[in-house]
Amino acid sequence: MTPMFYLNKNKPSIYETVALCVTMCRKHGMEPVFFEDDRADLYEHISEFPKDAVFLNAPDQEKMDMLFVFGGDGTMLRALDLYVKCDIPILGINMGRLGFLLETQVDELAQALDALVRGEYEIERRMMLCVEADLDGHAVSTFATNEVSISRGLCQRMIAMDVFVGDTLVDHYIADGVVIASPTGSTAYSLSAGGPIVSPDVPCFVLTPICPHSLQSRPIVLSAGERVVLRLNMKEMREGIQLSIDGQAVCQMLNQEQVSIRRSGHDALLIRFPKERNFFSLLKDKLSQWSL
């Protein structure tokens, strides 16, 4: 069993945790591999880092079985965007606050590795979004774990947008923007905008308008088998309208430009261990933290 380590090097105790995990992996008969981009930092910050460590430029299914992600939910989102096409199981090791996508705490590493070696784990599939657009010559073709949003960004006034499911117009929205979320993303930006919480195993999209200028505009749950298109349709175009994917700004949009969203052919493959804490207990903890 060979894991590859994906690191958020901005975490304060990242190198201490990696050193600990390397030692534990070797005791369990695992030989981890690492990203070439991390080579210099690992040797600089870990005095006893293995001299014979293997480094790769990208995940290789012939040389590794799974990906260990060290960080928070943001780190997991970046890893999924980059490597979901590899179809490799991912174990999230939480070094942040309440990691919604991360399965293991640092102080649970020993138990997690024991369970991996014994085969006492399951693979949870999470639906991903495939996002495509051609925006003022800027080609977008990427994945999203949580959501795709078009918002007024730097613009100080509401924007107008048409939303299509297949070839059918769902609505013309006058709002601060629109969010298309996956079930995983239903507890992120979409929830803050008033969207429903969806269990992660339900195949659907959540369409949530952001501060709509209409009492009739409500969140809608759509089939994941559809293609959703968001098209700007402004009477008077304004600068600063922003396309964002998983909370990261991608580019600004012009009038009549559109973004296509469909279900990805690749699911996120998340390693899960048998435990009492599940999606709904995590949700309860997360909502409790937000209410503080």
Side-chain angles (χ1 to χ4, degrees):
M1 187 174 291
T2 304
M4 189 171 189
F5 286 17
Y6 181 85
L7 315 178
N8 181 342
K9 292 184 284 188
N10 294 320
K11 295 296 182 182
S13 59
I14 183 66
Y15 297 106
E16 177 185 343
T17 302
V18 168
L20 174 65
C21 194
V22 169
T23 300
M24 288 183 176
C25 282
R26 288 191 156 189
K27 286 182 178 178
H28 285 80
M30 303 180 187
E31 191 58 47
V33 298
F34 307 88
F35 282 88
E36 184 64 44
D37 288 347
D38 297 331
R39 181 194 291 263
D41 290 324
L42 290 169
Y43 280 116
E44 177 184 351
H45 292 95
I46 302 176
S47 58
E48 298 183 1
F49 192 77
K51 301 301 181 186
D52 59 348
V54 176
F55 292 86
L56 301 174
N57 289 317
D60 185 339
Q61 288 178 300
E62 295 183 359
K63 298 179 180 179
M64 53 175 286
D65 304 296
M66 57 189 64
L67 189 68
F68 285 8
V69 173
F70 296 79
D73 277 341
T75 313
M76 178 66 84
L77 293 177
R78 289 192 294 274
L80 286 170
D81 177 39
L82 291 169
Y83 304 120
V84 69
K85 287 191 295 185
C86 297
D87 295 319
I88 295 173
I90 299 177
L91 175 63
I93 299 165
N94 187 21
M95 302 185 66
R97 295 179 62 198
L98 181 64
F100 221 29
L101 295 173
L102 302 149
E103 180 68 3
T104 299
Q105 307 298 318
V106 173
D107 59 6
E108 298 173 339
L109 270 174
Q111 300 96 305
L113 295 179
D114 284 342
L116 285 175
V117 171
R118 293 194 301 266
E120 296 176 355
Y121 64 92
E122 297 178 349
I123 303 297
E124 179 186 13
R125 305 184 76 97
R126 290 288 186 100
M127 180 184 127
M128 299 281 291
L129 309 180
C130 180
V131 188
E132 296 178 329
D134 186 0
L135 307 176
D136 194 24
H138 179 83
V140 175
S141 181
T142 189
F143 299 98
T145 305
N146 280 342
E147 78 278 312
V148 181
S149 67
I150 299 176
S151 65
R152 63 187 180 89
L154 299 176
C155 178
Q156 297 302 306
R157 300 176 66 183
M158 286 186 291
I159 61 177
M161 190 184 317
D162 293 333
V163 177
F164 296 85
V165 174
D167 296 324
T168 304
L169 177 67
V170 174
D171 204 346
H172 175 75
Y173 291 97
I174 307 294
D176 281 357
V178 168
V179 180
I180 299 292
S182 69
T184 299
S186 71
T187 59
Y189 190 11
S190 175
L191 178 62
S192 299
I197 295 171
V198 179
S199 183
D201 58 351
V202 177
C204 67
F205 300 119
V206 178
L207 164 61
T208 307
I210 306 169
C211 300
H213 192 58
S214 170
L215 296 176
Q216 297 180 353
S217 295
R218 292 290 182 264
I220 305 174
V221 179
L222 305 168
S223 166
E226 302 283 2
R227 182 176 70 101
V228 180
V229 174
L230 310 179
R231 179 186 299 162
L232 278 182
N233 188 4
M234 307 277 290
K235 291 183 178 180
E236 180 183 340
M237 187 56 191
R238 305 179 183 92
E239 295 183 354
I241 297 173
Q242 184 72 57
L243 169 66
S244 298
I245 297 175
D246 283 344
Q248 300 298 311
V250 175
C251 62
Q252 294 188 12
M253 294 183 63
L254 303 176
N255 202 21
Q256 296 304 313
E257 288 185 331
Q258 65 183 38
V259 177
S260 174
I261 301 120
R262 57 182 171 82
R263 179 174 186 169
S264 168
H266 302 272
D267 290 340
L269 306 177
L270 305 181
I271 295 173
R272 300 300 195 203
F273 301 116
K275 58 175 66 175
E276 292 182 2
R277 188 179 66 172
N278 57 23
F279 169 76
F280 295 102
S281 61
L282 275 174
L283 179 64
K284 180 176 178 293
D285 290 342
K286 183 170 184 176
L287 295 181
S288 296
Q289 285 192 6
W290 284 357
S291 65
L292 295 178

